[in-house]
Amino acid sequence: MSIPAPSNPPAKKSHTIAVLGGDGIGPEVVAAGLAVLHAVEASLHDVTFELREISVGAGEYLKHGDPLPPAALEEMKRCDAILLGAMGLPEVRWPNGVEMTPQIDIREKLDLYNGVRPIHLYHASHTPLKNYAAGEIDFVLIRENCEGLFAERLTPRPAGRDFETDTMKITRHGAERICRAAFQLAAKRRRHVTLVDKANVLPSMAFLRKIFDEVARDFPTVKTDRVYVDAMALFLVQRPQSFDVIVTENMFGDILSDLAAGIVGGMGMAPSADLGERYALFQPSHGTAPTIAGQGIANPIATILSVAMMLDWFGQPETIRGARMIEAAVKSVLADPAHRTTDLGGKLGTAEITRLIVSKLG
Ligand code: ATP
């Protein structure tokens, strides 16, 4: 999937990449992504990648007491892009009971507001839905990453209350820029944007819809729809082929991403990019999947496709060519239904499927 490159792609031909394996299956899928990146690098003219490994996550907290050390964040800012595996472990929590989520902190601190989550069906056997062939499910979910229902998650609260609240915060600035990002992407695809909200009940969502309608006027050639989030859960199962670009707030995007991944094979098939004006991070949409960590069975395709999105985002003809090479290799490998990892009902492990993809890049 082609994603919008920065307006001024860096002219340089060497790109520094911050590599954050993280926790659980994170390091395993990142290793697969890097194997693919190195294979592509060998085929590209005059483009090199310099990797900087950075320790962030629940494991880093257990070692040194901070899941996201300030020095790590500064190092990320000095790189051209960030490649992240997954972070957090169920047993490592803050005193208030919530898990450590440095991946969400990074999005907020680097203002990576635009969560781009492509959903593509690579083989009919991957979907639990009936009668969908490869390519017939193909849309992008745009998740607002920096406000919505996550906005006040770090706000200190008095202890010992008999209630707790979370706030759905939609600002004009936040809503405008995410809607604009969705329309700009749709203008390069099938020119159709669907807003997902709950405007019938929540004033914050009515406000989001008002701003969506304002932004839509700047894109007269893009068709629009507005769907309530509960109905969207239904439609994604009943008629996923009718969507092109879907835009929604943070929490709805979080939930619908998993549903969307589920109809194309699961979390191991869902890549993502978190984009801001200055920084960009690429990661599989999944979490650390601790129950399968260390067994060599994690599906690395989401991470490998996230690497392709990163090459697209670098925005130079050679890196864009590399992105297309990776997508073509994944497509070619997955066209054979025997080439499936265990989450897709197959027998291949992380290393085997990665080797197959790398072999197509020679
Ligand atoms: P988070 O809240 O951190 O996003 P999560 O609770 O949504 O995480 P995941 O870690 O994404 O949970 O896992 C959801 C399910 O998908 C689990 O059953 C997990 O084993 C499976 N899963 C996730 N990623 C992969 C993968 N790459 N390969 C195979 N299975 C995966």
Side-chain angles (χ1 to χ4, degrees), residues 25 258 267-268 286-289 291-292 298-299 343:
I25 61 169
D258 280 32
M267 298 311 296
H286 59 73
T288 51
T291 55
I292 60 165
N299 182 347
D343 54 321

Side-chain angles (χ1 to χ4, degrees), residues 181-258:
F183 277 96
Q184 283 165 349
L185 180 61
K188 293 185 181 163
R189 290 175 47 96
R190 303 194 299 276
R191 298 204 296 279
H192 182 190
V193 180
T194 304
L195 171 71
V196 174
D197 62 31
K198 191 70 183 170
N200 51 339
V201 176
L202 302 175
S204 58
M205 295 285 95
F207 181 65
L208 174 62
R209 188 177 284 208
K210 177 170 116 68
I211 291 175
F212 175 85
D213 290 344
E214 287 173 16
V215 174
R217 282 184 218 122
D218 291 340
F219 296 86
T221 61
V222 178
K223 189 172 164 252
T224 58
D225 273 322
R226 293 138 194 84
V227 177
Y228 300 136
V229 63
D230 41 344
M232 193 59 174
L234 178 74
F235 296 157
L236 280 179
V237 175
Q238 285 183 333
R239 52 175 179 86
Q241 73 281 9
S242 55
F243 301 106
D244 176 22
V245 174
I246 298 166
V247 62
T248 192
E249 73 83 32
N250 209 338
M251 183 70 174
F252 294 169
D254 187 25
I255 297 167
L256 292 179
S257 311
D258 280 32

Side-chain angles (χ1 to χ4, degrees), residues 118-119 257 261 264 266-272 283-286 301-303 305-306:
I119 296 294
S257 311
V264 293
M267 298 311 296
M269 297 302 291
S272 83
Q283 67 173 130
S285 294
H286 59 73
I301 304 262
T303 309
L305 291 170
S306 301

Side-chain angles (χ1 to χ4, degrees), residues 25 29 86-89 99-101 103-104 107 117 143 254 258 265-270 283-293 297-303 341-344 350:
I25 61 169
V29 293
M87 286 171 188
L89 291 172
E99 266 186 51
M100 291 175 192
T101 51
Q103 73 281 18
I104 301 177
R107 282 178 205 148
R117 297 173 165 212
R143 168 184 175 183
D254 187 25
D258 280 32
M267 298 311 296
M269 297 302 291
Q283 67 173 130
S285 294
H286 59 73
T288 51
T291 55
I292 60 165
I297 57 170
N299 182 347
I301 304 262
T303 309
T341 42
T342 51
D343 54 321
L344 297 173
T350 315

